[in-house]
Amino acid sequence: MESLAVRGEAFDIAIIGGGVNGCGIARDAAGRGWSVYLCEKGDLASSTSSASSKLIHGGLRYLEYFEFRLVREALMEREVLWRIAPHIIWPLRFVLPYHTALRPAWMLRIGLFLYDHFGGRHLLPPTRTLRLADDPAGESLKPEYKIGFEYSDCWAEDARLVVLNARDAADKGAVISPRTRCMSGDRDGGLWTLSVRDERSGRLSKIQARALVNAAGPWVNDVLQSTLRVSTPAAVRLVKGSHIVVNRLFRHDRCYVLQNKDRRVFFVIPFERDYTLIGTTDLDYSGDLDAVQVSPEEIAYLCAAASNYFRTPVTADQVVWSYSGVRPLYDDGASEAQEATRDYVLKLDTSEESPALLSIFGGKITTYRRLAEAALAILARRLPRARKTAGWTSRDALPGGDFPIDGFEALVSKTAERYPFLAQDTVRRLARAYGTRVERLLGDARSQSDLGRRFGADLTEAEVLYLAYNEWAMSAADIVWRRSKLGLRMSEAEIRDLDAYLGVLQAQPQRVVQRGASVG
Ligand SMILES: Cc1cc2nc3c(=O)[nH]c(=O)nc-3n(C[C@H](O)[C@H](O)[C@H](O)COP(=O)(O)OP(=O)(O)OC[C@H]3O[C@@H](n4cnc5c(N)ncnc54)[C@H](O)[C@@H]3O)c2cc1C
């Protein structure tokens, strides 16, 4: 078996799992000067981290469970993450219609007061009360909803957040290996020796590292028990959540936070300009983690829940797309899935002589950066001295995010000026996805044909090649369902053609000599 290590040496840190937590830790560690290896058995963000509600939020409802530490940390992260990635993260206003049969108004007011004053809100606008009869947010709701509250959180392109953390980690020297499964791991003297398999070629390699992070999300216990053969220090509670997408239900750009009859909170969110996202469910899960799917019962539940609020009922036949994920929650013994803590728990398995193993239970997209800092604070004592201190990830922009927090419209105008042949919607989509790196993607193009073949919607060969060479995209799904949501606008045949193109690109890159060259 071939041995792979940085200049013949062991890595400081190896990470199993390329979700938001694994990639967040990789970025922070690489930026502090540690050598990092990360393996992900599928695509980056292929599991839970692309199946979230995509909210960077304090979590108003967690206040009911007295999760003050989590809520405060999460609230503080909103503006930090918005600042470091203003292309993929932006403010969103939430409309909470009030109804006497639901949580009492005094409870909502206390929650919203805490929300406004508890966690570092400097730029996001505060809570206000709405008269729904006079507000566009009331137009699509049933007339019995007369007043509501409106507050701020943020939206995030979850899968892009993961990939940009991986990109920055790699730019700082980390080795990022998607489609690479960790098969086994053994402690060998002061080092971990991992056996990893390239899932495309079947090739096995050996990796050595001083410390190991198990960021396998829903597989955290499988990795501990089957891969590393270590006893489980904590239980994970697997809770499935599904979302459905329908054609746009309302014309404004605010999101609804709604309470269902079973007291569960769900969201109805503007999505991809022409669509509305509705979710989520909370169901204990024991099925196949590689085949998580929305059930007809979940679709019916979400349609019924939304129909309680909207004048026009939402029905199953309106669903154009759905996705499901499994939350890898720390099992705190709560009776209901929705009550299980969303906070993260880090468990260290080590003795003085043996190399460290840190396992991650729970967490949220919102708190991934703080989780990474907490994880590295634990491991730092067992690693060579870092070149940089903790905290840099709250200041340095993610790739493409190096523009002012309120500078998105200026970026759109600048891009439209430089590339006048692009449609306005395309300029906006590309600026959102790539931020200032949009210029790397478009280069010196002077006309649409300079961007090569068109695969469907406004996806060009230039974008596909950028994603393949810079963001580890290897299949059509990587591009149309994770690094973008263009799958909503492409036909199955177009997606198949894209897959075929990517197959050729990987097998025979020389056949894709230049943009526009045919590989069919
Ligand atoms: C329905 C739903 C809605 C949510 N909404 C929000 C929200 O709005 N806001 C928010 O902040 N959070 C939200 N969350 C929570 C958030 O999505 C998760 O906490 C987070 O994505 C977990 O990230 P992770 O990196 O731990 O796990 P994952 O993203 O699952 O990553 C783990 C990775 O490990 C890989 N892996 C496993 N075993 C191996 C192996 N042997 N070798 C190599 N790789 C391996 C897997 O393929 C996987 O990609 C939501 C979650 C769900 C399910």
Side-chain angles (χ1 to χ4, degrees):
M1 210 185 278
E2 184 186 335
S3 191
L4 173 70
V6 178
R7 287 187 289 278
E9 289 174 15
F11 290 92
D12 290 322
I13 304 176
I15 301 166
I16 303 173
V20 75
N21 289 326
C23 292
I25 294 170
R27 176 191 191 221
D28 194 349
R32 290 200 227 171
W34 285 309
S35 60
V36 175
Y37 170 85
L38 180 146
C39 66
E40 160 56 54
K41 68 182 173 59
D43 180 23
L44 298 169
S46 52
S47 184
T48 321
S49 297
S50 59
S52 80
S53 301
K54 308 174 202 312
L55 304 176
I56 300 296
H57 63 158
L60 191 55
R61 73 180 186 84
Y62 309 144
L63 289 171
E64 277 184 332
Y65 303 110
F66 307 109
E67 298 232 35
F68 294 119
R69 193 210 73 79
L70 168 67
V71 176
R72 184 169 155 75
E73 184 172 283
L75 286 172
M76 310 239 329
E77 279 302 278
R78 294 176 304 179
E79 292 189 16
V80 173
L81 297 181
W82 175 22
R83 195 179 293 282
I84 63 168
H87 48 334
I88 57 160
I89 295 175
W90 60 88
L92 186 62
R93 293 290 280 172
F94 287 65
V95 175
L96 195 166
Y98 171 69
H99 193 272
T100 45
L102 303 167
R103 285 169 176 82
W106 63 262
M107 188 190 271
L108 297 173
R109 283 208 171 89
I110 292 177
L112 289 165
F113 179 85
L114 286 175
Y115 220 71
D116 268 356
H117 295 94
F118 198 42
R121 187 184 55 79
H122 302 294
L123 299 170
L124 292 168
T127 299
R128 62 179 186 133
T129 305
L130 293 181
R131 278 173 47 84
L132 290 170
D134 308 331
D135 191 288
E139 278 168 19
S140 44
L141 296 179
K142 288 184 176 168
E144 61 255 42
Y145 297 104
K146 295 196 179 350
I147 65 157
F149 303 99
E150 188 186 289
Y151 66 92
S152 294
D153 269 324
C154 289
W155 170 264
E157 298 293 341
D158 53 3
R160 292 207 56 70
L161 180 65
V162 176
V163 170
L164 295 184
N165 270 280
R167 181 65 265 158
D168 205 39
D171 290 346
K172 292 176 167 52
V175 175
I176 305 290
S177 293
R179 263 91 181 183
T180 305
R181 184 185 294 268
C182 179
M183 306 295 293
S184 65
D186 294 291
R187 286 180 160 119
D188 192 0
L191 295 177
W192 276 100
T193 301
L194 303 184
S195 167
V196 299
R197 185 178 71 197
D198 181 324
E199 293 291 86
R200 293 166 306 160
S201 66
R203 195 170 141 256
L204 289 167
S205 315
K206 262 190 182 177
I207 301 296
Q208 292 197 307
R210 291 185 179 84
L212 178 60
V213 177
N214 171 7
W219 290 266
V220 59
N221 272 353
D222 287 358
V223 164
L224 280 166
Q225 287 166 345
S226 312
T227 312
L228 305 176
R229 298 180 304 280
V230 169
S231 66
T232 308
V236 65
R237 182 163 184 175
L238 300 177
V239 176
K240 179 186 175 191
S242 296
H243 292 81
I244 55 172
V245 175
V246 296
N247 283 325
R248 189 171 167 160
L249 292 179
F250 45 88
R251 303 222 67 76
H252 58 82
D253 60 1
R254 287 170 282 172
C255 152
Y256 293 96
V257 50
L258 305 174
Q259 307 170 71
N260 198 20
K261 287 179 185 148
D262 57 7
R263 284 181 65 81
R264 287 198 59 256
V265 169
F266 68 102
F267 299 99
V268 179
I269 313 172
F271 189 58
E272 295 290 315
R273 195 188 67 217
D274 299 321
Y275 301 92
T276 299
L277 178 67
I278 306 174
T280 169
T281 51
D282 269 293
L283 297 164
D284 281 310
Y285 188 74
S286 56
D288 182 353
L289 288 172
D290 284 304
V292 190
Q293 269 186 350
V294 68
S295 67
E297 293 76 26
E298 286 179 290
I299 294 180
Y301 171 90
L302 292 171
C303 289
S307 300
N308 284 332
Y309 281 88
F310 288 88
R311 285 176 201 244
T312 313
V314 180
T315 52
D317 58 337
Q318 294 168 21
V319 175
V320 297
W321 186 50
S322 65
Y323 61 84
S324 302
V326 172
R327 303 170 180 89
L329 303 181
Y330 176 69
D331 192 353
D332 59 356
S335 54
E336 296 294 324
Q338 76 207 57
E339 290 169 6
T341 181
R342 265 53 175 171
D343 212 345
Y344 53 81
V345 173
L346 308 176
K347 294 278 181 189
L348 183 67
D349 174 286
T350 190
S351 65
E352 279 308 310
E353 315 82 62
S354 65
L357 163 64
L358 188 70
S359 294
I360 292 162
F361 294 83
K364 298 190 58 65
I365 299 273
T366 308
T367 48
Y368 85 92
R369 201 192 60 78
R370 296 298 303 273
L371 181 152
E373 289 182 343
L376 293 176
I378 295 171
L379 294 179
R381 278 171 274 135
R382 295 168 172 83
L383 292 171
R385 204 183 153 86
R387 281 207 301 270
K388 225 175 185 177
T389 50
W392 73 272
T393 55
S394 68
R395 296 182 296 273
D396 288 15
L398 280 163
D402 51 343
F403 62 92
I405 195 164
D406 57 355
F408 180 71
E409 290 306 325
L411 177 67
V412 170
S413 304
K414 189 173 151 218
T415 310
E417 230 167 79
R418 171 138 191 226
Y419 304 98
F421 58 89
L422 289 177
Q424 261 299 321
D425 287 342
T426 299
V427 171
R428 199 160 269 282
R429 180 180 75 74
L430 295 177
R432 272 279 171 237
Y434 306 104
T436 55
R437 292 206 174 180
V438 69
E439 296 208 356
R440 295 194 191 183
L441 188 159
L442 295 169
D444 294 329
R446 288 169 183 275
S447 68
Q448 187 68 44
S449 62
D450 287 342
L451 301 178
R453 177 175 164 183
R454 240 182 136 127
F455 288 92
D458 60 354
L459 181 66
T460 62
E461 200 166 8
E463 187 171 357
V464 171
L465 292 175
Y466 178 88
L467 290 172
Y469 294 141
N470 297 283
E471 297 195 3
W472 301 275
M474 297 177 200
S475 77
D478 299 358
I479 292 179
V480 306
W481 294 122
R482 284 184 286 277
R483 284 153 192 78
S484 80
K485 296 291 177 287
L486 288 171
L488 287 167
R489 301 171 198 278
M490 288 171 69
S491 69
E492 281 178 22
E494 287 170 335
I495 295 173
R496 269 199 309 276
D497 284 352
L498 174 60
D499 241 340
Y501 174 92
L502 286 162
V504 175
L505 180 64
Q506 283 162 70
Q508 300 166 282
Q510 67 284 3
R511 287 186 65 189
V512 187
V513 185
Q514 60 189 33
R515 285 176 194 165
S518 167
V519 294

